[in-house]
Amino acid sequence: MDDFWKPLEITPDGSAATPEGLMERLRGLNLGDLLVREKALVFRGFGVTPETLDPVMDLLLPNRLAYVHGNSPRTKVGGNVYTSTEYPPEYTISMHNELSYSATWPSRLLFYCEKAAATGGATPVVDGVRWLESLDDEVREAFAKGVRYTQNLHAGRGLGKSWQETFETEDRDEVAGFLDRIGADWQWRPDGGVRISQIRPATTRHPVTGTEVWFNQADQWHPASLGDEAAAMLAELMPPEELPQSVTFPDGAPIPGEYVIQVRDRGLDNAVDVDWRNGDLLLIDNVLVGHGRRPFTGSRRILVAMSD
């Protein structure tokens, strides 16, 4: 495996340094093959603005998807275009593949930098093969049977996201149909919320290359990733099974905190930072590459969209 993997950077390089120049370049590429080979692509220097973003997105993401069943806080700003995860700027967002806890996930993610942070704010990306191979044998073996994710989505008041936000609907039948289609165990709660449980694999194979990659969000769903103080505070408030989201091994056995900390830290340690400039775009293969966020200062606005 290439020890120096990083996203391929595509610049005007003779073509017009305009959104139209970028679209012309894109029409001349076999984008699907290029993305599988390079895993992530950065488009820089084409002067893409919010007003010129849509036609560029149409070429990069032929079928934009809604962020249905997403667990992170975002704001919808256009036709299946969202703000990136709205966590406080001082926090690192650890590496993950979008919707890897669900039965279906997007194959591509596109990030657009409308406004770069004053300092920091890079989007780190990690090769999923390297991430898997970086883990101790003990950890890989422990996760071999997969993980069980549990969500408690309230009906409008409570910790975390509501089911209405999560599924972008007020229709309980629509939610029930979605959960049945993905094979989840679920039930409506007396307070109007819904409890969802799914067993998912810890790794997956890329549909084109067959490459096995680390592909789960156990570290983000585990209280150990919050730090000892925050985890202890949550434990006082409610038992693990009542948290907005939690994770165990498939049989319900707890996942040791040190395992998820190793997963989190080695993902970040093996990541390559994509530093943003206004107008940049980053396209990633969501199976081959995990992504996250470095802390930042000042205002930062990164938009994200996804496709199958």
Side-chain angles (χ1 to χ4, degrees), residues 59-78:
L59 290 175
L60 292 168
L61 300 178
N63 180 33
R64 265 183 261 165
L65 302 173
Y67 185 60
V68 174
H69 202 189
N71 69 322
S72 65
R74 302 175 187 271
T75 302
K76 194 169 187 175
V77 296

Side-chain angles (χ1 to χ4, degrees), residues 136-155:
D136 292 354
D137 290 345
E138 177 186 357
V139 172
R140 288 202 300 268
E141 288 163 10
F143 279 90
K145 293 182 179 178
V147 296
R148 179 187 291 274
Y149 299 104
T150 300
Q151 285 176 290
N152 291 296
L153 303 174
H154 60 77

Side-chain angles (χ1 to χ4, degrees), residues 222-239:
H222 197 291
S225 64
L226 300 171
D228 293 344
E229 191 175 323
M233 192 181 304
L234 267 179
E236 285 183 17
L237 287 173
M238 58 183 66

Side-chain angles (χ1 to χ4, degrees), residues 261-282:
I261 297 304
Q262 180 182 130
V263 168
R264 181 196 68 189
D265 291 351
R266 293 194 184 167
L268 286 163
D269 289 347
N270 284 282
V272 177
D273 284 354
V274 175
D275 293 307
W276 291 110
R277 301 173 199 164
N278 291 352
D280 286 354
L281 297 121
L282 166 66

Side-chain angles (χ1 to χ4, degrees), residues 55-305:
V56 174
M57 277 193 171
D58 289 343
L59 290 175
L60 292 168
L61 300 178
N63 180 33
R64 265 183 261 165
L65 302 173
Y67 185 60
V68 174
H69 202 189
N71 69 322
S72 65
R74 302 175 187 271
T75 302
K76 194 169 187 175
V77 296
N80 289 343
V81 179
Y82 301 82
T83 57
S84 57
T85 300
E86 295 168 356
Y87 283 144
E90 63 270 23
Y91 294 117
T92 297
I93 297 176
S94 60
M95 309 310 293
H96 61 286
N97 304 78
E98 206 62 48
L99 291 166
S100 60
Y101 51 83
S102 185
T104 58
W105 51 80
S107 61
R108 293 181 185 180
L109 295 184
L110 179 68
F111 300 87
Y112 166 69
C113 179
E114 182 176 332
K115 181 175 176 53
T119 65
T123 293
V125 288
V126 65
D127 182 324
V129 176
R130 181 184 306 280
W131 193 3
L132 175 62
E133 292 181 350
S134 75
L135 301 174
D136 292 354
D137 290 345
E138 177 186 357
V139 172
R140 288 202 300 268
E141 288 163 10
F143 279 90
K145 293 182 179 178
V147 296
R148 179 187 291 274
Y149 299 104
T150 300
Q151 285 176 290
N152 291 296
L153 303 174
H154 60 77
R157 293 173 62 89
L159 279 177
K161 293 177 73 174
S162 69
W163 62 262
Q164 294 95 330
E165 289 175 288
T166 299
F167 296 103
E168 294 190 3
T169 183
E170 301 280 339
D171 187 334
R172 286 166 60 117
D173 290 340
E174 196 175 322
V175 173
F178 176 88
L179 294 173
D180 284 341
R181 284 194 300 276
I182 66 171
D185 293 324
W186 62 274
Q187 62 188 70
W188 293 109
R189 310 296 297 274
D191 62 3
V194 62
R195 181 181 177 88
I196 304 163
S197 179
Q198 299 182 83
I199 296 174
R200 303 292 309 147
T203 66
T204 194
R205 290 190 179 274
H206 191 269
V208 175
T209 67
T211 304
E212 186 180 17
V213 296
W214 188 251
F215 197 76
N216 69 80
Q217 282 174 242
D219 61 308
Q220 292 194 332
W221 287 54
H222 197 291
S225 64
L226 300 171
D228 293 344
E229 191 175 323
M233 192 181 304
L234 267 179
E236 285 183 17
L237 287 173
M238 58 183 66
E241 64 272 12
E242 295 300 324
L243 291 171
Q245 56 189 43
S246 59
V247 63
T248 65
F249 288 124
D251 62 0
I255 299 173
E258 61 268 24
Y259 286 7
V260 296
I261 297 304
Q262 180 182 130
V263 168
R264 181 196 68 189
D265 291 351
R266 293 194 184 167
L268 286 163
D269 289 347
N270 284 282
V272 177
D273 284 354
V274 175
D275 293 307
W276 291 110
R277 301 173 199 164
N278 291 352
D280 286 354
L281 297 121
L282 166 66
L283 182 69
I284 68 173
D285 184 305
N286 184 47
V287 173
L288 294 174
V289 172
H291 65 280
R293 190 200 71 188
R294 303 291 185 187
F296 64 93
T297 64
S299 61
R300 173 187 187 268
R301 186 170 170 87
I302 306 293
L303 302 182
V304 62

Side-chain angles (χ1 to χ4, degrees), residues 42-59:
V42 176
F43 301 93
R44 179 163 281 160
F46 290 97
V48 178
T49 63
E51 294 72 30
T52 58
L53 179 60
D54 259 6
V56 174
M57 277 193 171
D58 289 343
L59 290 175

